[in-house]
Structures are given as C-alpha cells and as structure tokens.
Amino acid sequence: SYKAHLGATNDWKRQLGRSAVPTILELVEALPALAKSGRESQVRHHLRLVNGYIVLSFRGMTNDFDLRECLSAGKRKSDIGSALSCTEVVDVVKDAFSVIFAPDIDSITCGPMIETGSSSNEIALYQESNGCRFLYIRDEQVIEAAKTTVHLFARALGTKRCAFVIDACFADMFEACSRSCSSGGQHLLTNEELLNRRRCWSGSCVFATELMRGVCGLGYDGGSKDSFKLSKSNLHVLSSLASSILPVIVSGPVWTLPTTLDVPTEESISDVQVLPNNEVNAATLPITIMNSNAILISTLMGFLCQLARALGESVKLQLPTILFPLLERASPIGNHSYVQRAAFACLWKISRSVGYRNISCLLASNFDYLVDILSLRLCKYAREQSALERSLFGVVDVILQSAISRVRPATSDLKNGDEPLFMGHIAMVEHMLNCLLGHFDRQSYNMDNLSVFDTVSVFRSMNTFMDASIDVFISNNKDAAAPIIPEEDKDDGCFLSRLDFELSIESAGCSEDIDSNDDIFGQQEPYAEGESTEQTPPFPNSDHSANNDEADETTDFVQEIGAINGILSRCCYLICNADLRIQVLCCETILSGFRSLGKVGSFRKNLHGKYGSINPLLPAIAEFWPSIAARLRSASASLTSANRLSRSDLLSIRHVMATDQPEHGAPSKSSLEVLISKLLLIVSELCCSSDDGFFADRFENDAYPIVAELMQDILPEDGNGSGGRHFPGQQPPSSLFAKSKHSLVLPIVHCLECTFESSCRYGLSNLIPSAGTMLFPLFSDIGPIGDAASVAVKAMLLVDRDALWRGLQTLSGRAFPCHAMIRSSVITITNTTEPAFSDVKDFCVASSQWLKYHDRTLSQRAGDLLDFIERLPEQPIP
C-alpha cells in the first residue's frame, strides 16, 4: 500500500506531512475562485480529492477510504493533525470556506413571528423553513461535500486543536467588527465591501459550526443526529471553549447589530458609510444591511445550537451568560423575523439539552435571574433618564407569556427541581413593574408613539400575569368554606357605611402607608352595641373574622391589586393619546384589569360574605371611570360629526373611500368605531362585575346618553315620515340599514344586553321603554343583529315585562285584546297615520291589509317576544 511504500512509522508521518498537506492547501486555495466562477462540478472534484488525502492520514482504519468510519463518534488519530493546525494552514482553510459558505443575503424574507406559547413541533417547522441559500454554491451535493470536508478537518485536528481554531475564528471576526465600529467615518466603505464583510463573517460562523459538528460526529454513527457521547476530556475542552467565546458572542458589537430599521444604533450609523459614486442605490442600502445583519446573527445562533447539543446538560453552566441575550433576540419587538425564529429555535435546543420539555419550563426555572436583570436595567434607565431599548419590552413580554403558559405545569415538566410559578414570584414581578412605571413616569413626556405602544403592550402582559396568578389562587382555594352570611334585611345600612370606609382608605394606586401583608378590615375591632357605625366598618360576623385571620392574610391579593391599579392609572392617562392604536391597546388593558379586580371581588364575596369583604373593583371604578367616560364622549362626538357630513346627499364611491382615511391627523371612521366598541366592552364589564348596582348611576347619567345618540345616528331615517313603515316601491328599512355602516350596532346591543342582565338592571328599569324602543328597528335584520336585539329585549322583559308590551303588540300586527266589560270600546292603532275602527272585525281587516306591507321578520320577532312575555312568571310590583 501507499503507507507501506513510504516505510517506517516516523518516515511515514514525515513524508505524509510534507507531501499531503501542501497538496491539500493547493486544492483548498483554488476553491473560492472556482465557486465564484460557478464551476460547481470542479469544486466538488477538489473537495473529493481533499477528503481522500485527509482520510489517508487516519490510523486504525478497517477500510482506508470509509468516510463514515472516519466521521463516527469514535476516537480517531490523524498523522497530519499537527501540520493542519499551523496558523498559516488554518488561515488558508478558514478564508476559503468563508467564501464557500458565504450566504445569499437576498434569499431571506420577512416571515411570521413565533408566538411565545408555540409547541416544539411548530418551532422545529419554523427552523426548517428558516434556511438560507449560499451565494456561490447551490447544488445540494456540492454543499454536502463541502460540509463533509470541514468535518474531516475537525476529525483530523482533534478536539483541542479544533477548539483553538474555533476560538480564532470568532476572535478575528469580532476584532474586525470592533475596528469597523470604532473607526467611525475615517474609513469609508463601499456598499459591496460592506456586504462582503458581512458575508465573510457569516461564512466563518458556518465554518465554525461545521467544525463543532465534526468534532462531535453528529449523525455519522448510524443513529440519530443527537446520538453521540463525548469523553470527559473532550467535554472539558468544549466547556472551556464555551466559557471563552460565549461572552464575546453575545456581546457587542456583532450581537447588537440592528436587524430592523426602527432601532438605529451607534454601531450601525458608524459602520454604514455610503460613497456618492456607488452603484447600489442608497435608498435600498439599509434594507440590505439589515438583512445581512440578520443572517450574521442567525449563523451565530446556529453555532450556539450546535455547542448546546455538544455540551448537553453542561450547558446549564452557561445559561447566565447566554439566556438573556437570546431572549432579547427572541423578542418580537425590534428584531427581524428571521432572527426571532432562529432565537426561538436556539432556546428550544438549549431547553432540550438541559432536560426541559419546552422553553416555558426553561424560563420558569430561571425566572428569578431574568426578572432581576430586567429590574436592574429598568432602574438604570430610569436613573439615567435615557431611552429604553425596544428589545427589553419584548423580553418582558416573552418571560411573562412563558410563565402564563405554565400556570398549571405537568408533573413531567418539573424535572430539575422546578416549582410552579405564581406562588413566590408576584413580589418580583411587582418590583419589576414599579421600576417600569418609574421609568415611564420620568420619560413619558418625551416618548414617541412607538415606545408608548411597546410600554402599553408590556402593561397588558403584566395584567395577564396578575390575572393568571389570581386564577391559580382561586382554583387552589375554590373548596374553601364560605362563612355564614346573615340575612340582608338585618343589615340594610351595612353596605353603604362599609363602602364609604372602603373608598376613604383604599386608593386605586399603590399606598405607601399600608403594609401589603396587613388586612385592614381584619384588624378592625368589632364595634360595641350602641356605638355609631359612621367611622367603623360593620362586620356582621366578628367571631368568624377572629377565627380566620390566617385565611384573610392569604386572600388579600394586595400585590396583584396594587399592580393592576398602577397599570390602570397609566392606561387611563394614555387613553387620550393622539395615536388611536395606543388608545385601543389601552382599552384592552383596562378591560383586562377590571376583569381581574372583579374576580378578586367575587372570590372575597364567596369566601367572606357580602359585607365581610372588600371589592377592589368599586374604588377603581370611582377613580378611573371619569377618564373612560370622557374618552367615550369625545370619540362618539367625533364619529357623529364625521357621519353627518355625508348623510344628506349620495356620495361617490371614491369620495366615501377617501373620507374613511385619516386626514391631517384626524382618525378615520373605522378606527373610531373600533375604539368605541372597546370602550363599550369596558362599560359592559363594569356593569356585570360591580355589586349591588354600584355602576347604575354612572351608566344612566354618562354612558346611556352616548349610546342613545350613537343609535340615533346609526339608524336610517325614513324619507316619508311613515314612522318606520314602508310600502311597495319604497326601499325597506332592512336594506337601508344594510347599506349604512353598522359595525357599532352589535357592540351597542351587547352592551345593553349585559347591562340589563347585571346587578344594575333593577336600578335602570326606567330606561327600558326608551332602550327597548330604540332596538325595535333592528328586528327587521335577518342576521346576527336582529338575533342580538331580540336577546337584549328579552333581558329587559325579565326586568319589566309590561314596559315594552304595547310596542311589541303594535309591531306584531296582532289585535289588541278587548276589555271584557266594554265591548263597544274604540280600538286604535298606536301609529297616528292609521284610521280608527269601530269594532274588532274592521280592525282585523285593516290589520291584515297593513301586514301585507309590513316587514315580516320584524312582526315575527315581535310576536315571539309577546309569546315570551306570556310565559314569564308574575313579576312583583315595584
């Protein structure tokens, strides 16, 4: 054989190093030129020759030319490893494969972001679709041959030498990037030179990734790609490599390169210099640079994935270094979708390597560390009064959403001493929220709309986290025994006096004078007989309160209530922001906060009784309702004025489309309708969640006039003054209504339905005649609007069955029942345009004649409601 021809072992080593290594370098040096010229067949031929020379150098081979045996996870020694590890040889090989693996920047496109609660299968699917083409080689066989050659280089070098080569790759790359960023405008670069630099760095990352894969022998031992096991010495070498390069990788300037146009940084401004005589259009340069940065950062994450798979559970020691930077890149805010998907794929690989089932379990086990970092950074930005990085908002959202998705973890998820959240982390989240609120209070005057929108998004995530915490506690204590409640007639004045005390001591914000662990009402001494109850809240069952001090301390929800009220106060301030998107997001956050406070009030009521508990929703309503009512009033006035501009005459389609667009900063009609619908949802929630009709006066005096004005503007007007009746040749009301915009009708009807199903219904019974009559024209709609109107009217009839009876009788076309004692009474129809009739026979004839032209759907719905009234039990006289 060739080895036997060279002679003894020492001569064999010396001769092979002298003859094979120069030939390998000569073949490798020719690869970039061949690849750039598009001669992929010759590239593949050169790669096969390089593979052959490297395979010859391995010892103990059963088959001298078996690639799979060389690349398997078993220990192999090469006689040219020391020669290949020389600095000159490493530089040649690295530069050549940096060109071979240079990515095609135009091959990536913006795709969908990965949601925080996505499953592992979805993340794996995103990872498969997140691939990037190479610029100079496109044939899959050539790409696979190039990767195989790099794997053989790694096996020939060995683990230690390969670790030095990988460390040198990242050191050179980060040194070049640092020089580029620190030089500023001293060295102007053309666009092509700038992009070539990014491609070279990305190719070096791919080369280092493939070297790591070759060291581990992934996928070449006959099993799966993850079926490998490193020796302790090799694992120790890779752990040392990780400790050396990971802090450099996840720090500036490469990791912090911008990938979207809305987050400029000093590095991007100093690095991007455009020459006037450049061939590339300057307008397209930022997008190209952002794409090149996205590919570079994604290749770095690919290396992190490979290193995590190689280290296995040992990567847990590196989590304090890499976890938070990965979360910054996993944020949907301020990151390219390509980078965001790559970050989630990397987190998924790390979680599987450590032993967790998903990313949520990984973040939950490091929740304390992550929240602590966020709090420190928020305090720093607030103290320095500097702008907050957009990625931090996304990190908060990702962490909280992961915790929320793991509210009730499975037993198999708790592998490494993991514990369920929400039991000891509320204080940490509240501290982080206070830091964020402090930064917002100091910077709100000079924050742009994008930063405000991100802040409100974090507020909504905080609300969701607190709501999940409340749900967990309620579900864990749902079997708690409720105290015996005395009869209500014995304590008629208890509620009002207790409410006055509650409003005087519990503000909607965080109170500094009251300890969060103290139960105010649990400390109140029961008043003696004959004492005045004006200063002391009555407690119907003082013995039970004394025996359940421990239960009172655990069911206070003081931290959750303080956090929610702090968020509500800021959202009620931002609800008047000029940006309508921010207003809508604030409305959603406010609605979520009110629902959470209502849950607390309901739980306390079930546990302690009606008069033995504090409902935190009531003081929140008292403080925040004026802001909500003012915004509802102004939004409805803007919509009404916009609608009345085009009601008198028929407008062209082009003009109608133009009026629906925002002009000179004024919001469009559709945007105003969305905002008003969100505000009406808040009104509905407050009606349903408040106790004992607490919200009735506010609805009657503030909300209902606005609802009536909106309905008056939405409903079509009759041109002949027939009062809603139409005849042949005239357009029916249903078609008139269908042509008008009615996106607000369903929210209004739903609001009325919730109002008259809530505890406020009896206090608002005087509104039933006007509210019900306002809904009668909607009966003519055969779709969901008519059905919703019927349901709302049924809710009103359950309160007062007689308030709408006459109107429904008229709409149904049925004959009015005659008085038994007066047979000759004159029967008239409510509508003044109909003649009077002397007896029932004439009335029936005229009624049947009138029904020919009356809306059949409307009369049928009215008849069904009359039948519903007949089935109702007798109601007490108010």
Side-chain angles (χ1 to χ4, degrees), residues 470-487:
I470 293 171
D471 289 339
V472 169
F473 188 88
I474 292 176
S475 62
N476 292 338
N477 296 272
K478 60 184 177 181
D479 298 330
I484 302 175
I485 307 299
E487 298 180 3

Side-chain angles (χ1 to χ4, degrees), residues 178-469:
S178 299
R179 286 199 306 267
S180 174
C181 294
S182 61
S183 61
Q186 297 178 3
H187 303 283
L188 298 179
L189 299 175
T190 63
N191 298 336
E192 191 61 33
E193 290 174 345
L194 190 61
L195 295 179
N196 285 336
R197 179 174 294 185
R198 298 289 197 277
R199 293 192 188 102
C200 181
W201 294 343
S202 300
S204 298
C205 292
V206 177
F207 174 68
T209 303
E210 296 302 324
L211 282 177
M212 180 61 62
R213 189 181 178 195
V215 167
C216 302
L218 297 179
Y220 293 105
D221 54 354
S224 63
K225 292 184 178 181
D226 294 326
S227 58
F228 69 95
K229 185 177 181 180
L230 293 175
S231 62
K232 290 184 179 181
S233 59
N234 290 341
L235 191 61
H236 178 71
V237 170
L238 295 182
S239 298
S240 301
L241 174 66
S243 301
S244 173
I245 64 174
L246 288 184
V248 180
I249 290 178
V250 298
S251 61
V254 175
W255 189 266
T256 56
L257 287 173
T259 58
T260 55
L261 297 177
D262 52 358
V263 282
T265 60
E266 296 180 359
E267 289 86 351
S268 63
I269 295 174
S270 62
D271 196 19
V272 179
Q273 301 290 339
V274 186
L275 289 179
N277 57 353
N278 199 346
E279 298 179 358
V280 182
N281 188 3
T284 62
L285 175 64
I287 298 177
T288 309
I289 294 299
M290 297 305 112
N291 289 341
S292 63
N293 292 340
I295 291 180
L296 176 58
I297 296 174
S298 298
T299 54
L300 288 174
M301 293 178 186
F303 175 79
L304 292 181
C305 289
Q306 204 65 49
L307 184 59
R309 293 168 65 183
L311 292 176
E313 292 187 0
S314 300
V315 76
K316 185 186 298 185
L317 301 176
Q318 310 299 330
L319 287 181
T321 304
I322 63 175
L323 186 56
F324 192 84
L326 280 174
L327 286 176
E328 289 183 303
R329 285 304 181 180
S331 164
I333 301 175
N335 285 313
H336 195 285
S337 59
Y338 191 83
V339 175
Q340 197 254 358
R341 295 196 298 265
F344 260 101
C346 188
L347 287 171
W348 178 56
K349 292 290 185 183
I350 292 174
S351 62
R352 296 298 298 269
S353 299
V354 175
Y356 295 104
R357 292 186 57 185
N358 48 44
I359 298 175
S360 298
C361 297
L362 172 67
L363 299 183
S365 62
N366 297 274
F367 192 82
D368 300 352
Y369 155 73
L370 295 173
V371 173
D372 186 53
I373 289 184
L374 285 171
S375 300
L376 291 176
R377 289 203 179 186
L378 291 173
C379 291
K380 175 186 175 183
Y381 285 112
R383 184 172 57 255
E384 297 176 353
Q385 296 186 2
S386 57
L388 195 63
E389 298 176 7
R390 291 196 68 209
S391 59
L392 282 184
F393 293 109
V395 172
V396 176
D397 185 71
V398 170
I399 294 175
L400 294 180
Q401 293 297 330
S402 298
I404 293 167
S405 64
R406 198 172 167 270
V407 172
R408 301 298 297 272
T411 305
S412 56
D413 293 345
L414 310 176
K415 290 187 176 182
N416 295 285
D418 199 13
E419 296 180 357
L421 290 180
F422 305 111
M423 304 310 293
H425 297 85
I426 299 298
M428 299 184 62
V429 175
E430 185 185 17
H431 179 262
M432 181 175 63
L433 175 62
N434 291 334
C435 297
L436 179 61
L437 294 179
H439 177 271
F440 173 79
D441 294 340
R442 296 182 181 183
Q443 297 292 322
S444 59
Y445 62 91
N446 60 357
M447 292 175 67
D448 57 354
N449 288 340
L450 196 60
S451 299
V452 174
F453 186 84
D454 296 338
T455 303
V456 179
S457 301
V458 173
F459 286 163
R460 184 174 58 177
S461 299
M462 289 281 188
N463 258 350
T464 308
F465 182 87
M466 297 300 171
D467 185 73
S469 171

Side-chain angles (χ1 to χ4, degrees), residues 425-629:
H425 297 85
I426 299 298
M428 299 184 62
V429 175
E430 185 185 17
H431 179 262
M432 181 175 63
L433 175 62
N434 291 334
C435 297
L436 179 61
L437 294 179
H439 177 271
F440 173 79
D441 294 340
R442 296 182 181 183
Q443 297 292 322
S444 59
Y445 62 91
N446 60 357
M447 292 175 67
D448 57 354
N449 288 340
L450 196 60
S451 299
V452 174
F453 186 84
D454 296 338
T455 303
V456 179
S457 301
V458 173
F459 286 163
R460 184 174 58 177
S461 299
M462 289 281 188
N463 258 350
T464 308
F465 182 87
M466 297 300 171
D467 185 73
S469 171
I470 293 171
D471 289 339
V472 169
F473 188 88
I474 292 176
S475 62
N476 292 338
N477 296 272
K478 60 184 177 181
D479 298 330
I484 302 175
I485 307 299
E487 298 180 3
E488 295 183 1
D489 54 355
K490 295 181 181 179
D491 297 288
D492 293 335
C494 290
F495 173 77
L496 294 179
S497 58
R498 182 174 183 82
L499 179 60
D500 293 337
F501 180 80
E502 176 182 334
L503 292 176
S504 64
I505 66 167
E506 183 173 347
S507 62
C510 299
S511 177
E512 298 179 357
D513 299 328
I514 301 175
D515 189 4
S516 60
N517 295 321
D518 295 335
D519 184 9
I520 298 171
F521 294 104
Q523 297 174 359
Q524 296 293 326
E525 294 294 331
Y527 57 94
E529 188 174 355
E531 289 183 1
S532 173
T533 60
E534 295 179 358
Q535 301 298 329
T536 308
F539 217 107
N541 195 346
S542 59
D543 293 336
H544 175 78
S545 175
N547 295 331
N548 290 275
D549 291 338
E550 183 178 357
D552 291 342
E553 292 178 359
T554 58
T555 58
D556 275 342
F557 298 102
V558 174
Q559 293 174 332
E560 290 88 342
I561 294 172
I564 292 173
N565 285 328
I567 293 173
L568 288 177
S569 62
R570 273 70 175 187
C571 289
C572 288
Y573 165 74
L574 293 173
I575 203 173
C576 298
N577 190 279
D579 193 343
L580 214 59
R581 298 181 308 159
I582 296 176
Q583 298 180 32
V584 172
L585 190 60
C586 285
C587 289
E588 294 176 354
T589 308
I590 292 171
L591 178 62
S592 174
F594 281 141
R595 284 176 177 171
S596 301
L597 295 178
K599 291 179 182 179
V600 174
S602 299
F603 178 74
R604 287 180 173 181
K605 181 178 178 181
N606 295 333
L607 189 63
H608 300 292
K610 184 176 181 180
Y611 302 120
S613 61
I614 305 174
N615 189 350
L617 179 63
L618 304 185
I621 293 175
E623 180 171 353
F624 303 128
W625 169 248
S627 301
I628 299 172

Side-chain angles (χ1 to χ4, degrees), residues 745-757 768 771-772 775-776 778-779 784-799 804 865 868:
V745 175
L746 280 176
I748 290 175
V749 175
H750 175 72
C751 179
L752 293 175
E753 176 191 350
C754 294
T755 300
F756 288 99
E757 287 179 350
I768 292 178
L775 298 180
F776 284 166
L778 305 182
F779 289 169
I785 294 178
D787 297 335
S790 298
V791 174
V793 172
K794 284 183 179 180
M796 299 177 188
L797 294 175
L798 289 173
V799 179
L804 302 175
L865 289 173
F868 176 75

Side-chain angles (χ1 to χ4, degrees), residues 40-57:
E40 295 190 34
S41 59
Q42 296 187 27
V43 171
R44 185 180 179 186
H45 177 69
H46 278 61
L47 291 172
R48 286 182 174 178
L49 291 176
V50 173
N51 294 346
Y53 280 109
I54 296 177
V55 169
L56 282 175
S57 66

